[in-house]
Structure formats: structure tokens, C-alpha cells
Amino acid sequence: MRIEFLGSGGAITTPRPGCQCPVCAEARAAGVPYSRSGPSLFVHGPGVLIDTPEEAKFQLDRAGLSHVPACFYSHWHPDHVAGLRVWESLNADWFNWPPTHQRTTIYLPQQVAEDFHHRLGAWDQLMYLQHFGVVEVIVLRDGETVARNGVTIRPFRVAQNYVYAFLFEEGATRVLIAPDELLGWQPPSDVCGLDLAVLPMGLPEFDPLTGDRLIPADHPVLRAEATFAQTLDIVRALNARRTILTHIEEPFGLSHGDYERLAARLRDEGLSVAFAYDTLVVEV
């Protein structure tokens, strides 16, 4: 398998529109790897996309992906879903009659499908696209798996019940992709000892390089989102051969160079952790 990070940002991408802070100014001037678009990745081999942020059209074009056989959605949040109209742009045949559309199989884990019915109009949009002929929507009950090109994919809920992570298995190779929302998650034994874990970075309550407090201790976000320190606890529990942290938000205030220095520090502490950037490709 080959994992391609189409977008390594979060809900607040880098640069943030109109922001003139040093991180945004650098990203605006230098582009990738300093700039970050919304959270999405593509798994070559099974041909699986995870999530479609607003920038999905641009991301797929940048990666040269003219066809996406399958897509899994992890949860209903806009930064993971709002670009779902990409299926019309990517797959529709506008010139021939009768048309010869491409088609992408959309897999919705059980709770995601339920949430799509009453969040963001996502279900209605997918039903329109299915009627148009550019997607096929399949709802997966909890516990069901999907096999594509010799790779088995198992969605499962994390601690926050509306969010799913995905275990990819190809022979003895095991990859965990957890796109977001790991607060309170204790990794079960069957997803430990992986070849690769892809996790959201979590909120840096303290600057990971200087130790300075970044988020006030009484801020309510700390009761809703996992912190960077809590994410590192999950990294240790998973004991993966490699871990890549993504979903990196602009308000964290760190540049690509800062993350490179932080990764080196974590390696010195015995943690095989790297930070994703847009266009990063990892062989497993």
C-alpha cells in the first residue's frame, strides 16, 4: 500500500484567509509543504479515498488522480464532507449521449449514514449524485468489512461514537487511519503493533517546543478535543512501527520547519513520529 496525504490541515487550513501571521505569510509565499489544505488522504492499492474537504477537487487534480474507485467517510463534520460535490466534477461525462460516467463507490459506516440524513444535507446530495449515476452509496453496518484489491478495510467507532477509524490489512501489513476526534480513545489490542498509524495531531495545549501554555486551562475546547499530549499517549499505546500525525490546524502557530524539529525531538525520545504535509507519500 501507498498512502498519499492529499491534505494535512484541519478545519482551519494554512494559510487562513486574510491572516498575516508569520505561519500564514510563509505558507502563502512558499506553498507546499508550508501550506495545508483540508484533511484527506488516498490509499493506493485498494484505491480508497478518505473524506472530501472543500479542497477535494484541487487536491485530486494536484495528485493526478483521474479516477477514485472508492471513498469512505469518517464522520459528518464539514471539513471532512463539504467537498462531496467533487464526484460530479470528477466522474460526470458531460459530452456524450448516452453518457459514460465514471462511478465511485461511497462507503458510509453505520453512524455516518445516520448522521448524513440530518447533517449538512449530505444524504440528499449523495442521493442526487447516485441518481445522476456518478456514485454508488453503500451503508456498512458496524462490524462489516470491505475487500478491495486484496486489502481488507474495517471501519470501527472510536470513543466519540459518531467518528470512525479504518484498519487496512494486506497480508501481514496493517495500517490504521484515524482521521479525527480521538478524545478518550483507548486503542484495543487488535489495532496495536501496526506497521503504520495515521492519527490527528490533537491540540497543543502547550507549545511542544517551548512548553509555553497556548490554550487557557479553562477553555472548553480542552473538554471536547484530544490534546497533543493525549495523542502521544495513544501513539505509545498503539506501538506502531511508524506514526504520522496529520489534521494540523493553522491556529497551532507552528510552521513546517517547527514540525520537522519537533519530529526530531520525538525521535530522540524513542517515538517514531513524523508530521504529514500535503503531497507526502508513504510506502508501507
Side-chain angles (χ1 to χ4, degrees):
M1 284 180 283
R2 189 164 82 253
I3 315 298
E4 183 169 0
F5 289 83
L6 304 183
S8 60
I12 310 299
T13 54
T14 308
R16 183 161 52 93
C19 180
Q20 299 301 322
C21 77
V23 170
C24 287
E26 180 182 46
R28 199 171 286 118
V32 172
Y34 296 89
S35 61
R36 299 181 184 279
S37 57
S40 182
L41 56 80
F42 188 79
V43 185
H44 296 267
V48 167
L49 181 71
I50 305 290
D51 293 336
T52 55
E54 291 96 327
E55 302 90 349
K57 293 178 187 178
F58 160 74
Q59 291 173 341
L60 293 173
D61 185 63
R62 179 175 63 186
L65 292 168
S66 59
H67 179 53
V68 175
C71 175
F72 285 77
Y73 283 99
S74 62
H75 63 304
W76 68 267
H77 283 174
D79 54 327
H80 294 258
V81 170
L84 61 77
R85 190 171 169 265
V86 67
W87 306 121
E88 185 177 12
S89 296
L90 183 70
N91 290 341
D93 175 7
W94 294 100
F95 298 106
N96 295 304
W97 192 261
T100 54
H101 300 313
Q102 293 189 120
R103 184 175 297 172
T104 297
T105 303
I106 306 294
Y107 294 102
L108 300 179
Q110 180 176 322
Q111 188 62 50
V112 178
E114 292 179 19
D115 289 340
F116 271 26
H117 277 84
H118 59 273
R119 302 280 192 176
L120 308 177
W123 183 262
D124 288 343
Q125 292 183 67
L126 284 179
M127 289 302 99
Y128 162 74
L129 293 169
Q130 181 165 264
H131 177 74
F132 191 31
V134 295
V135 303
E136 177 188 12
V137 178
I138 296 177
V139 177
L140 299 173
R141 306 295 298 176
D142 286 351
E144 288 188 295
T145 62
V146 173
R148 299 193 66 91
N149 293 342
V151 178
T152 300
I153 304 141
R154 176 167 66 90
F156 63 92
R157 302 188 196 221
V158 292
Q160 301 198 58
N161 209 30
Y162 64 95
V163 185
Y164 286 76
F166 306 93
L167 181 65
F168 287 71
E169 296 182 284
E170 182 179 26
T173 302
R174 303 164 72 238
V175 174
L176 172 68
I177 298 173
D180 202 1
E181 307 293 349
L182 292 188
L183 180 66
W185 186 52
Q186 300 293 325
S189 60
D190 62 342
V191 297
C192 294
L194 303 152
D195 294 280
L196 174 66
V198 177
L199 308 175
M201 175 183 168
L203 301 179
E205 181 179 6
F206 301 92
D207 186 306
L209 292 172
T210 67
D212 295 337
R213 176 170 283 281
L214 296 178
I215 302 175
D218 58 351
H219 198 299
V221 74
L222 296 177
R223 299 192 294 274
E225 301 281 348
T227 66
F228 178 58
Q230 290 167 333
T231 299
L232 291 183
D233 288 339
I234 293 172
V235 170
R236 295 182 183 96
L238 283 169
N239 193 31
R241 200 160 53 84
R242 286 187 293 171
T243 299
I244 298 177
L245 300 181
T246 188
H247 209 285
I248 298 168
E249 307 271 5
E250 184 273 343
F252 296 174
L254 299 175
S255 74
H256 173 69
D258 293 326
Y259 288 113
E260 292 287 287
R261 287 188 288 276
L262 179 55
R265 180 180 296 184
L266 292 171
R267 286 193 295 272
D268 289 342
E269 296 173 5
L271 289 178
S272 180
V273 171
F275 292 86
Y277 55 85
D278 288 24
T279 75
L280 172 66
V281 178
V282 177
E283 298 280 352
V284 187

